[in-house]
Every structure is written in C-alpha cells, then in structure tokens.
Amino acid sequence: VGDGVEYNRLLLRIQKEKITNATIFPRVSAAQARAIQKKADILLVHLERTALTKMGIPQKIQAYMASGKPILAAVEGEGAQLVKEAGCGLTCYPSDSVLLAETILQAEALPVSVKNEMGRCGHDYYTKRMGYDVGIEKIDHLICDVLRH
C-alpha cells in the first residue's frame, strides 16, 4: 500500500510481464493503513541491503511493533536485532528472494497463538521502551542533567 520510491517501476513491471498475483494499491491515509494492517497475519518490512540500512532502526518496525502485529523483517543490523530482542517476529537477510520466501512459509506455518504472542511482545516492548511517553521522559532527564551541570 502506498506510492514509495519503487511504485512506478513495480507498476510497469506488473503490466509489462502481465503478473497476475500482485496488486499495488495507491496511497491511503494513516487510519486506512492501520485498518489494513489489522487484517494482516504478519507485517513485512523489507529494506535493500546497504551500509546505511544496517545502522538504524526503520520507523516502520517501530510502528509495526506498536500495532501489536508480528513482523517479518527482511533487514540487517539494528532493525533485525530489535525484532529478535523483542521477540516480535522473524528475520531474514534482505535482497534474498529465496530466503524471504522460506521465511514467509515459516511464518505461515506458525500457530496463530505464536503469532499473537509475537505481536503482544512487540507491543509491550514498544510501549515500555520506545513509546512517546518513554521518549518524553528521556528528554526530560537529559534536560535536567544538563541544567544540573
């Protein structure tokens, strides 16, 4: 869902190759995106394999954790480490279509109870360590520390 940087290229490929098992939906509002995510069994985050994508935690991972849905993260570095640490999903290396397909099949085979637990773990981890209130508290502590010194 959306019109990311690959939208036009993917749309042309689907049309040119007459791919019938893929659909690209136009951009939707945040509320519509959340409604779509609620219907999903697992949410995918895939980043191209680059030095830059190894260093940070994609905002999409944080948003998916907050949603309470399990995550399939085809990412490296900090993002993959976060998913593993939180126990909120499965990870695989990005840009490897065979490994991604295997990981999707692995996720599909998981019992619903396991997927629900992954989602709960992600939500709990996000709420306790990354949420808005946690961020405000950290900023408050930093400001107080600076003012004391």
Side-chain angles (χ1 to χ4, degrees):
V1 174
D3 57 358
V5 296
E6 295 291 321
Y7 180 83
N8 289 330
R9 186 185 69 77
L10 290 172
L11 189 59
L12 287 172
R13 180 174 177 200
I14 288 169
Q15 292 168 348
K16 182 179 177 183
E17 296 179 28
K18 296 180 177 32
I19 296 171
T20 59
N21 64 346
T23 304
I24 297 180
F25 296 95
R27 179 178 287 277
V28 298
S29 70
Q32 290 170 308
R34 284 190 296 277
I36 292 167
Q37 290 171 2
K38 282 184 180 182
K39 295 179 181 181
D41 292 330
I42 193 162
L43 301 174
L44 172 67
V45 178
H46 185 280
L47 295 179
E48 188 175 344
R49 197 173 192 183
T50 69
L52 182 61
T53 59
K54 290 180 185 180
M55 297 187 316
I57 297 171
Q59 200 283 324
K60 190 165 283 200
I61 288 178
Q62 297 175 53
Y64 286 178
M65 289 173 73
S67 79
K69 287 287 185 174
I71 300 168
L72 193 166
V75 300
E76 289 184 289
E78 296 295 320
Q81 183 58 37
L82 175 60
V83 171
K84 290 174 186 174
E85 183 179 315
C88 63
L90 302 172
T91 63
C92 68
Y93 287 108
S95 305
D96 182 335
S97 59
V98 172
L99 184 56
L100 178 58
E102 290 171 357
T103 308
I104 289 170
L105 292 174
Q106 180 184 355
E108 184 180 26
L110 291 173
V112 171
S113 61
V114 172
K115 290 183 226 181
N116 289 341
E117 178 65 12
M118 287 176 168
R120 188 194 60 71
C121 286
H123 182 266
D124 289 352
Y125 189 102
Y126 178 84
T127 302
K128 291 175 185 170
R129 299 185 187 195
M130 304 172 85
Y132 179 79
D133 292 337
V134 174
I136 293 296
E137 188 174 323
K138 287 179 181 179
I139 291 170
D140 184 52
H141 288 326
L142 285 171
I143 291 170
C144 288
D145 286 347
V146 167
L147 292 174
R148 272 184 263 189
H149 294 88

